[in-house]
Amino acid sequence: MNAPEILTPRLQLCEPTARHIAQLPAVLNDPEIAANTLTIPHPYTRDDAIAAIKRFATTHADDTGFVRFIERRDDGTLVGSIGFAFHDDGARGELGYAIGRQWWGAGYATEAAGAMVTYGFLSLGFERITAHAMLRNPASSRVLQKLEFESLGVVCGACRKNDEDIDADGYILTREQWQERSREQA
Ligand SMILES: CC(C)(COP(=O)(O)OP(=O)(O)OC[C@H]1O[C@@H](n2cnc3c(N)ncnc32)[C@H](O)[C@@H]1OP(=O)(O)O)[C@@H](O)C(=O)NCCC(=O)NCCS
């Protein structure tokens, strides 16, 4: 799938390509990022970056997911990654993201996720977007709350990692909720 770049005031969400291989480990090589996500390992090596970019290309080709890398528009710096896994025959996107530690608290996750939500409903045709934040990860929950996702409460065994079921705070935003909130903000 060749999709255009998604732009926000400060960020561009770009298709992952080989040009990101050198920068990706510096952004994602962090035990806290690995602990709070399902597929990012620690340590995160150049080989992991190569494998991830190949995997993202496959999910795009198979139409099972949509991943973008997050770059700053002013200087092109790679600051993170964001994506959807497709579920329910493409009607639901499960959102996940990670921002490099040195940029935490700058609002980048919220800005990127807001743009991805819009893209998910308008261009990917989702009826609903879901996300899960591990219970030890209030910053991720806060991102979803700022975007007005509805809380589903604690979802037992929402995620599976290393053969272990993990409880998480569940969130959902339906197309109707998103349209209503977009109308209120207009
Ligand atoms: C979660 C993560 C993506 C947030 O990225 P970010 O760019 O710092 O997010 P933002 O700046 O847009 O928003 C973070 C919000 O969480 C808040 N926050 C941060 N730490 C917090 C904590 N311990 N408790 C409560 N809120 C917290 C911030 O204050 C901010 O809210 P505010 O704007 O109301 O002040 C980033 O910390 C990260 O990559 N963590 C590791 C990977 C991960 O957790 N991915 C999510 C998997 S679901």
Side-chain angles (χ1 to χ4, degrees):
M1 186 193 317
N2 261 340
E5 271 184 0
I6 301 165
L7 298 178
T8 73
R10 295 180 295 169
L11 305 170
Q12 52 202 19
L13 311 187
C14 317
E15 182 166 13
T17 69
R19 77 185 163 88
H20 295 109
I21 289 170
Q23 296 174 71
L24 201 55
V27 177
L28 297 182
N29 185 32
D30 185 318
E32 207 171 326
I33 292 181
N36 287 305
T37 55
L38 296 181
T39 57
I40 298 175
H42 184 264
Y44 195 100
T45 65
R46 182 183 165 84
D47 283 349
D48 293 316
I50 293 168
I53 289 165
K54 262 194 205 150
R55 196 169 64 244
F56 298 150
T58 305
T59 58
H60 293 164
D62 294 350
D63 219 16
T64 54
F66 179 84
V67 177
R68 300 281 98 169
F69 284 164
I70 306 168
E71 292 178 344
R72 283 204 304 226
R73 287 174 69 172
D74 58 357
D75 58 6
T77 302
L78 181 70
V79 299
S81 170
I82 187 161
F84 290 115
F86 299 166
H87 296 277
D88 307 343
D89 290 330
R92 173 170 72 92
E94 171 78 18
L95 180 65
Y97 38 75
I99 299 290
R101 179 183 289 268
Q102 73 187 96
W103 300 284
W104 286 359
Y108 287 160
T110 307
E111 190 168 321
M116 283 290 273
V117 164
T118 301
Y119 192 82
F121 286 124
L122 292 185
S123 299
L124 299 174
F126 296 146
E127 290 304 319
R128 53 201 172 275
I129 295 173
T130 52
H132 293 85
M134 292 180 197
L135 301 186
R136 58 173 175 251
N137 192 2
S140 181
S141 273
R142 180 78 191 119
V143 168
L144 298 163
Q145 289 157 5
K146 285 194 286 180
L147 293 171
E148 300 192 73
F149 276 66
E150 180 190 336
S151 170
L152 296 171
V154 175
V155 182
C156 294
C159 323
R160 191 162 177 80
K161 184 173 178 179
N162 301 333
D163 291 331
E164 201 187 309
D165 290 326
I166 301 170
D167 299 344
D169 286 311
Y171 291 89
I172 188 166
L173 188 64
T174 65
R175 174 182 287 275
E176 290 73 27
Q177 288 169 329
W178 173 75
Q179 283 170 333
E180 194 176 318
R181 284 158 201 186
S182 303
R183 270 197 300 274
E184 283 166 9
Q185 284 159 15

